Amino acid sequence: QVQLVESGGGVVHDGGSLRLSCGTSGFTMANYAIAWFRQAPGKEREGIACIGPNEANQGFLESVKGRFAISRDNAKATAYLQMNEVQPEDTAVYYCAADPRSIWWRPEGAPKEKDYAYWGQGTQVTVSS
């Protein structure tokens, strides 16, 4: 049974940093792309970052480029989203998602919901100003 569990959310001050984790089980994470999405109150869910089986292949939403970093540790079956210089507009529920991909897969920009079959339940991130 495929499972993804996000952790690490909480309250962070404007300009601060936070690292989210996505623990996975029930599949071989090395063969999957992992993505992070977020949904702010009253807004649609948006893709913010993704990483392929080849960790050098990554894609980001323009508004988080240079502030957020995505990484993966296949041995620990865990992916991460490092959030730096957070802003109040980063307040949202953050979700990780997974979908099988070949080692040659390269993302084209930010991830899209329709491209990911497996999802976690989300973790709340609140940026206080």
Side-chain angles (χ1 to χ4, degrees):
Q1 181 181 359
V2 172
Q3 285 192 319
L4 296 91
V5 179
E6 302 91 341
S7 60
V11 179
V12 57
H13 289 299
D14 189 357
S17 296
L18 200 64
R19 189 177 80 158
L20 305 182
S21 299
C22 174
T24 70
S25 61
F27 64 103
T28 304
M29 198 183 87
N31 299 329
Y32 283 64
I34 304 294
W36 287 93
F37 294 79
R38 67 184 179 189
Q39 187 166 22
K43 295 188 176 182
E44 293 187 354
R45 190 154 55 183
E46 64 178 353
I48 54 174
C50 57
I51 184 168
N54 180 338
E55 62 183 1
N57 295 333
Q58 301 179 8
F60 292 91
L61 182 69
E62 281 297 323
S63 64
V64 307
K65 275 185 182 178
R67 298 192 299 123
F68 291 9
I70 189 170
S71 61
R72 61 192 300 153
D73 185 336
N74 293 333
K76 294 183 178 179
T78 302
Y80 305 95
L81 182 71
Q82 177 67 44
M83 305 168 61
N84 300 321
E85 301 175 23
V86 297
Q87 303 164 357
E89 49 266 39
D90 293 323
T91 294
V93 177
Y94 283 71
Y95 301 88
C96 64
D99 205 77
R101 293 285 188 279
S102 80
I103 192 70
W104 309 110
W105 175 78
R106 288 175 175 265
E108 296 179 358
K112 300 176 180 61
E113 275 196 72
K114 66 178 181 61
D115 294 334
Y116 291 82
Y118 304 105
W119 292 79
Q121 293 301 305
T123 186
Q124 175 71 46
V125 172
T126 302
V127 181
S128 63
S129 56

